[in-house]
Amino acid sequence: MGVRRLEDLQCWQATRAFKLEVYRLVRQSAGAQRDERFRHQLMDAAASGEANIAEGFRRFGARQFVHFLGYAVASIEEARRRLQDGVDRGYIEQDACDPVLAAGLSALRLTVALKTSLLPYAKR
């Protein structure tokens, strides 16, 4: 029996948790709050991972779902790189960022695993 609800997907749960942690870090960072472009790019990338998983899930076809999971993977990685850039800019302390980067890596791995598991079905 397959997954019936988006909320049951582990990759969606992990990606949502990552997004919420990114939002928390941004709210706590005065530098990120001041740098509107940085803030929007980081928050948009974090939100895009979750949104692409949801959009692909609602397409109800393996081929399209795999396609959107690819976008989600790219967005999660973009958010992780932008977080590290926030550390490099002095907006976020590395110690505060490390657990959020780890959450992003977990979301990334789960999303790649789901994508990989669906590849045989996407070729039909």
Side-chain angles (χ1 to χ4, degrees):
M1 184 181 248
V3 172
R4 294 184 185 271
R5 296 178 338 124
L6 170 67
E7 295 81 8
D8 294 333
L9 288 174
Q10 290 180 350
C11 68
W12 182 85
Q13 293 169 8
T15 302
R16 177 167 169 72
F18 172 59
K19 178 193 79 171
L20 294 174
E21 285 299 305
V22 168
Y23 287 3
R24 180 187 58 76
L25 269 183
V26 168
R27 281 192 304 270
Q28 293 175 349
S29 167
Q33 289 296 316
R34 281 190 304 273
D35 189 338
E36 188 173 322
R37 183 169 184 258
F38 170 80
R39 183 178 75 244
H40 285 299
Q41 288 177 330
L42 172 55
M43 293 176 82
D44 287 349
S48 184
E50 178 187 2
N52 277 298
I53 293 169
E55 186 171 352
F57 183 79
R58 294 295 178 213
R59 297 285 177 140
F60 301 110
R63 181 176 290 151
Q64 289 181 320
F65 195 10
V66 164
H67 185 77
F68 279 90
L69 289 172
Y71 290 139
V73 165
S75 293
I76 295 164
E77 185 59 31
E78 178 186 357
R80 292 182 74 245
R81 294 304 99 219
R82 291 193 185 280
L83 274 176
Q84 189 61 57
D85 185 48
V87 171
D88 296 345
R89 292 174 186 230
Y91 297 165
I92 303 166
E93 293 295 322
Q94 187 70 57
D95 289 348
C97 192
D98 285 342
V100 182
L101 288 170
L105 184 58
S106 177
L108 190 65
R109 287 178 175 160
L110 287 165
T111 305
V112 167
L114 178 58
K115 181 181 176 191
T116 301
S117 75
L118 291 174
L119 282 175
Y121 305 100
K123 295 177 182 176
R124 295 180 182 172

